[in-house]
Amino acid sequence: MTTLRIDPQAPHPPFEQLRRQLVEQIVSRQLPAGTRLPPVRRLAADLALSPNTVARAYRELEAEGYLITQGRNGTLVAPVSAPNDEVQRHAAELATSYVAGMRNLGFGTDAILLTVRQAL
């Protein structure tokens, strides 16, 4: 696993920083399917975080389909297909259109992100 770093000065909370870094590593195949992630307590200690923070990131990633939790048998990276260039381009167009529409309604960045998270 590539080094994970949590920046206490970053605008995003630690669980979100961890979640984003893990998603990036999973999608880029730095963490291939089947890779066993460190136990919550060990990763929390390594990153100087609360175990609840790491557990929350793991739970969200499991809900999003990036991880499979097998109880005492550990947490594994789920098989995730990487989108091809055309799919990526279409997704970017959809996101751009959505953000433009939300901004036209008067929503700011935080409200747009909150709406997307609620939809997920």
Side-chain angles (χ1 to χ4, degrees):
M1 176 169 17
T2 305
T3 303
L4 300 167
R5 290 192 174 90
I6 304 301
D7 178 3
Q9 304 303 319
H12 303 290
F15 84 90
E16 181 64 19
Q17 292 179 54
L18 177 59
R19 190 194 71 73
R20 288 179 182 194
Q21 289 176 52
L22 288 171
V23 167
E24 184 178 311
Q25 290 182 22
I26 291 167
V27 171
S28 70
R29 302 292 194 253
Q30 292 172 338
L31 287 173
T35 301
R36 186 174 307 278
L37 295 184
V40 168
R41 289 182 185 185
R42 189 172 84 215
L43 185 57
D46 291 348
L47 297 175
L49 296 173
S50 159
N52 289 336
T53 299
V54 175
R56 179 175 179 186
Y58 278 17
R59 276 193 312 273
E60 290 195 11
L61 290 169
E62 182 177 20
E64 294 169 7
Y66 290 104
L67 299 180
I68 300 167
T69 301
Q70 299 179 330
R72 292 198 171 272
N73 293 325
T75 301
L76 306 174
V77 174
V80 178
S81 61
N84 62 36
D85 289 341
E86 184 178 334
V87 171
Q88 284 280 56
R89 190 171 30 262
H90 184 64
E93 290 170 4
L94 286 171
T96 300
S97 174
Y98 174 76
V99 169
M102 293 295 282
R103 292 220 186 270
N104 285 338
L105 292 173
F107 285 83
T109 300
D110 290 338
I112 293 170
L113 289 172
L114 177 63
T115 304
V116 169
R117 282 198 179 93
Q118 288 172 340
L120 291 171

